[in-house]
Amino acid sequence: MAFLTPCSILLSILGTANAASVVLWATTSDGWTEEDPTRSCFVDTRVTAFGDGQPGGAEDYFKVATTKWHSSGLQFGCLQKDASWNCIASCFDNGANPTFSTYGYLTFLAKVEGDFSPVGCQPTVGLGKRWPMYASNNIQLNGAYVQHGELSDTEFRQVVIPIQDFATLEWPDLSDVKTLTFKSCGTAYSFAATYKITDVQLTDDPPPLLETGAPSPVPSVHVGPWITNIWNSADDSHTVEDVATSCLTHGEAYITTTSAHDDIFFDGLHDYFTASPDKYRSVGVMLGCQGKDANWVCNKSCMPWDGTNPDFTEGYLTFLAKVEGTFTDTCKPAVGFTGGGWPRLSSNNVVMEHEYVDFGKLVSDEWRRVVIPLADFKTPDWDMSSIYAMYFQTCGMEHVGSQPSYHVTQVQIWDVQPELIAPPPTIAPTVQVTESPQLATHRMVHHHWYPLLGEIHDSSTWYYVSGGTWPSIPTEAPDQSIVVVIPMGESVSFSSYDETKYDKVIVYGSLTIVPNGVDVLLRPGTLVVEMMGTLVIETLEMSETVTIEIDAALDRDADPQETMVGIISLGGNIRVHGNESSKKMAKLITTASVNTMQLVVEGDVGDWSTGDEIILPDTQEGLDVGHWNFPNNEPNGYTDQTEIHSIASVVSDSNGNSIITLATPVSYEHTANAHAGHITRSIKFVTSPTSSDRGHILFTGMGSMEFRNARIEEFGRTTIELIDDTTIEESSELHFAEGLAHMSVVHQGTNQLARYPFHAHHSSIESYFQGSVILNSPRNGCVPHNSRMHVTDNIIIGAAGSGVFLEGAVETGPVEGNFFVGTGKGTRGGDDGRFSTQAGEDMGHGGFGVWARGVYSKIQNNHAEGHFGRAPFAYFVHPSFVEHIRVPDVPGTPDFLVGKTRQEVAHAFAHDFDPPTSLTIQTFGAFVNNTARGTWGIGLDVSYFGSTVGVPEGNLIENFELEALAYSGSGMHTTHSSTFTLRGGSMRGAVEGNAIVGIFCNNGGLEIFYNESDIINVALIRGGNC
């Protein structure tokens, strides 16, 4: 930081000036480069203009009309060089930057307009240096510096400033001056200064001043930010010692430097770089040492040019930018850093919008300033010390459309926060609000856009809860025409059997649904729990039930991404507690023959009672599911034999087992050792048979979710067909308050991703899905996406894709004690078929019980029965398309994992541990005590497990029990994987003379140890490359 220094000290540093003068600006021709009369020599042409023929002896002058955010003035030096490094566009003396201390005085004539006062803003001038980017003391143009002691708005007056008064300790010689700037008053004042300037000279023989005011004994102290330059010109794209050594992260295919772009007139900086990420990599600028000599001394250095890596622990990152690309709610321009030594750490990536950018967003046709507090980049693991590189981010392989292209200049660190442009009347300085909110269509909630809900957006009739009373709805109201709103601060209890088909129920306050002597029915098209809202549904061990019946049609005009219709929590709190079922499933002791109405099951079934429903899985044997043409190869075709029956009565026999009499006879044989599952719950969510579209449950953000002992029936809209998402784009012509946007549809999809029966979407709070039932889904059942959910003791039936889908490779919650019932659905294909073409987005479609993208979850004590199109259990841990995803900081997550990508976790095990070790299934997760009995192509499908250095046993598969009822298929199938150990458990073929392979490997080099496991009655114990 510069401090005021006595003139006597500075004079000894400056020495004696030469008796000479040089004109810096006298006529309009001095405002352009010597070589090109169209290239400006002004700092910012937006706030500078010319005049001529004015009184006061000044034929020509330049005018600086400052704004609250911009100053302007003259710039000096070279603006552009050719390939031989010769200056071809110069302001002053063939491109030289003048050393002001060669002269004794700066003089000029000036007029000024503005509402100046002795204690307020004063007309001010200052100097700037090219590199290092020093700023001089700022000089107020009054007192001893000005004719008559102050400037006038009606006549030009002489200004004379001793050069020594500009000097600071950091910049005593005032060498290589880049800018002479007439200063703005800033945002604290309601007016902006306007200067008119001519006859600017450096001289040792200044003109006399007439009738000056009281002498100014000391110059003004430094005013304004202390600035550290990161990238300001083409010179900064290579090391200071060697122009052939780049300071850019990648070659010209990804990042280029452009000189003298005509659109840039900010602070004399006419160069910019263009960063063009592809779907695999982000690109940017490197800092610190890029080469060392034989003595390990840095001889090729980028910023800060001394061989060190800078610390950006305090202050603000700022730069000017334009962007191009196909931007969506999941692809936005973003910037981040790496550094912190080795292994390198990554900062938070900051999306450049809203409060970080002029007018709230970047555009392609105008340079806008970006300002980001360095604190926003910091993570729990990294304080932004020892910076290695600054990266402009890719949108990744899953992005459909063009990747971002960033044009960037004037990259700096400031110690104070630069102002951003935001026209009134907005309070926030980073959002331009010019349109009515009625024109907006969407709002941002926790990373994603959702349609706006409100009377101005909806033709339905809106009723509001008041005084804790549910509103009275006219009986003649048409179906789906009524919206009920529980305002913030209102609490209401709903205990009715209400057959009204509501359009929406929107909860800002509190809604409690509890029976009161009768069964409860509520029929919303969409039930929305807003942030801070609370929905509680309980039966409190009562005999009465609660049914939430979804009945609605999607409105794709208002909701093009189809987020509505169902139960949606946008940061709200949901607590669903039904009556606990005392026993999830019971094993058949004897085979249930066709047309029988009695089942004998093992043990006491507890509270199973008359009218309850049970599921009987498909137990048919001998299907040739390994055939390429299944099921067309079956001579009698294929019919799923899963059945649901109601209980007529339950009694105990003399052996302590239970005899269940059914209300109707079974249609198919169900063999002994199969399990009957109890699927009745006191709370039920169901899509009405009359509904045009199926419901789904989605929760996101900071709201809590406890979903226990309830049934979800015929929910979910996403199918196993190819994902076809709607693409929406934010209008660049309309500007709203932060979090609002007008979206237009670029492509209307036909199979939206992420519309599942139960879906945690980037939930920030530990959630619970327990003791519940999911019955029939066209794709997945329960999906913890980038969330930590406990999935325990549930029954999931007929999920065509995956019963539990651990989507993002960073899910850490347990999957324990669940019963999965396959009904023969799914594409039957593996994930490699769509992996590359769909950028890793369209996975788990084959027909699975549990499908996992990562290895952080404990998958244990689960049981699968019935027919799975692909496999009851599967891991697909290919690193592509998820390498950028970090483990979310959710309570309960192991501290070691929080904030890390899978690559960073694996790197830490390989490099930070002594001896080195590897990330395996059992490091944080587990695959223990899982069982399956039924039909499938593969029992356990594992793909892309890498090297297990330091872990001789590799990945542990513990006590895995498998009984295959099919004629063909395999017990365990590995794809491009390393070492596994099967410890305990067994694999058994039920059909004599089958063609089953116990363990099949499709790549060489795999080691699999199974000596502790039994592989019984299969055609081949090991196949492929095992």
Side-chain angles (χ1 to χ4, degrees), residues 935-954:
T935 295
W936 46 73
I938 300 166
L940 173 60
D941 193 2
V942 292
S943 300
Y944 298 102
F945 280 82
S947 171
T948 57
V949 173
V951 187
E953 70 271 24

Side-chain angles (χ1 to χ4, degrees), residues 202-266:
L202 294 171
T203 182
D204 286 327
D205 187 18
L209 293 178
L210 303 176
E211 301 177 30
T212 63
S216 178
V218 293
S220 303
V221 297
H222 172 85
V223 177
W226 294 106
I227 297 172
T228 301
N229 180 56
I230 298 177
W231 196 102
N232 263 359
S233 77
D235 294 346
D236 299 327
S237 290
H238 58 77
T239 62
V240 68
E241 302 88 352
D242 179 12
V243 298
T245 301
S246 178
C247 290
L248 307 178
T249 59
H250 294 78
E252 291 188 357
Y254 303 100
I255 185 165
T256 58
T257 301
T258 302
S259 297
H261 187 66
D262 290 339
D263 285 348
I264 305 179
F265 302 102
F266 291 84

Side-chain angles (χ1 to χ4, degrees), residues 445-685:
V445 180
H446 197 63
H447 305 305
H448 294 281
W449 292 104
Y450 295 88
L452 281 167
L453 305 177
E455 293 188 57
I456 61 174
H457 301 281
D458 198 329
S459 60
S460 297
T461 302
W462 287 55
Y463 289 80
Y464 293 82
V465 167
S466 179
T469 302
W470 190 265
S472 177
I473 307 301
T475 56
E476 66 273 13
D479 289 346
Q480 290 97 24
S481 67
I482 301 297
V483 176
V484 173
V485 179
I486 296 96
M488 187 175 296
E490 285 284 347
S491 297
V492 63
S493 180
F494 185 91
S495 302
S496 304
Y497 191 90
D498 185 353
E499 294 186 328
T500 304
K501 293 185 178 181
Y502 296 93
D503 176 16
K504 299 179 188 73
V505 175
I506 305 175
V507 182
Y508 294 94
S510 175
L511 170 61
T512 300
I513 302 175
V514 180
N516 185 17
V518 296
D519 292 341
V520 176
L521 173 66
L522 180 63
R523 305 174 78 183
T526 306
L527 200 165
V528 182
V529 186
E530 295 283 357
M531 187 176 298
M532 305 304 292
T534 299
L535 170 66
V536 176
I537 306 176
E538 295 179 320
T539 49
L540 305 174
E541 301 303 321
M542 301 176 186
S543 59
E544 292 82 15
T545 63
V546 173
T547 299
I548 309 297
E549 182 178 282
I550 301 299
D551 195 331
L554 287 163
D555 180 354
R556 292 179 177 85
D557 291 330
D559 180 22
Q561 292 185 307
E562 303 175 16
T563 55
M564 296 294 109
V565 181
I567 314 297
I568 316 298
S569 176
L570 302 179
N573 305 290
I574 295 181
R575 183 171 184 260
V576 174
H577 277 211
N579 300 341
E580 184 177 356
S581 175
S582 59
K583 193 166 188 175
K584 178 171 68 252
M585 59 187 185
K587 185 167 69 175
L588 298 184
I589 293 177
T590 59
T591 295
S593 302
V594 175
N595 291 324
T596 187
M597 295 182 66
Q598 281 195 337
L599 308 177
V600 181
V601 299
E602 185 177 71
D604 182 5
V605 295
D607 59 359
W608 296 17
S609 59
T610 300
D612 288 358
E613 289 185 321
I614 60 172
I615 185 87
L616 295 172
D618 184 334
T619 63
Q620 60 186 303
E621 297 182 358
L623 294 174
D624 190 5
V625 291
H627 193 283
W628 66 271
N629 198 30
F630 181 85
N632 298 324
N633 61 308
E634 290 294 322
N636 298 319
Y638 165 73
T639 299
D640 173 46
Q641 296 184 3
T642 307
E643 297 186 64
I644 294 176
H645 286 273
S646 293
I647 296 174
S649 65
V650 179
V651 297
S652 297
D653 68 9
S654 58
N655 297 316
N657 298 316
S658 299
I659 301 173
I660 300 173
T661 301
L662 304 177
T664 55
V666 300
S667 300
Y668 305 103
E669 180 181 270
H670 299 276
T671 58
N673 296 320
H675 286 78
H678 182 230
I679 62 173
T680 291
R681 297 293 184 270
S682 60
I683 299 173
K684 181 166 68 173
F685 296 80

Side-chain angles (χ1 to χ4, degrees), residues 310-349:
D311 297 335
F312 292 163
T313 55
E314 295 181 354
Y316 300 84
L317 171 71
T318 182
F319 51 87
L320 304 171
K322 299 185 199 178
V323 293
E324 298 150 2
T326 305
F327 297 111
T328 67
D329 56 351
T330 58
C331 172
K332 297 184 178 182
V335 64
F337 290 87
T338 63
W342 187 259
R344 289 187 190 123
L345 302 173
S346 295
S347 73
N348 293 319
N349 289 330

Side-chain angles (χ1 to χ4, degrees), residues 287-288 308-312 337-340 382 384-390:
L287 294 83
T308 65
N309 292 92
D311 297 335
F312 292 163
F337 290 87
T338 63
W382 188 30
M384 292 286 287
S385 61
S386 191
I387 300 289
Y388 171 74
M390 172 184 180

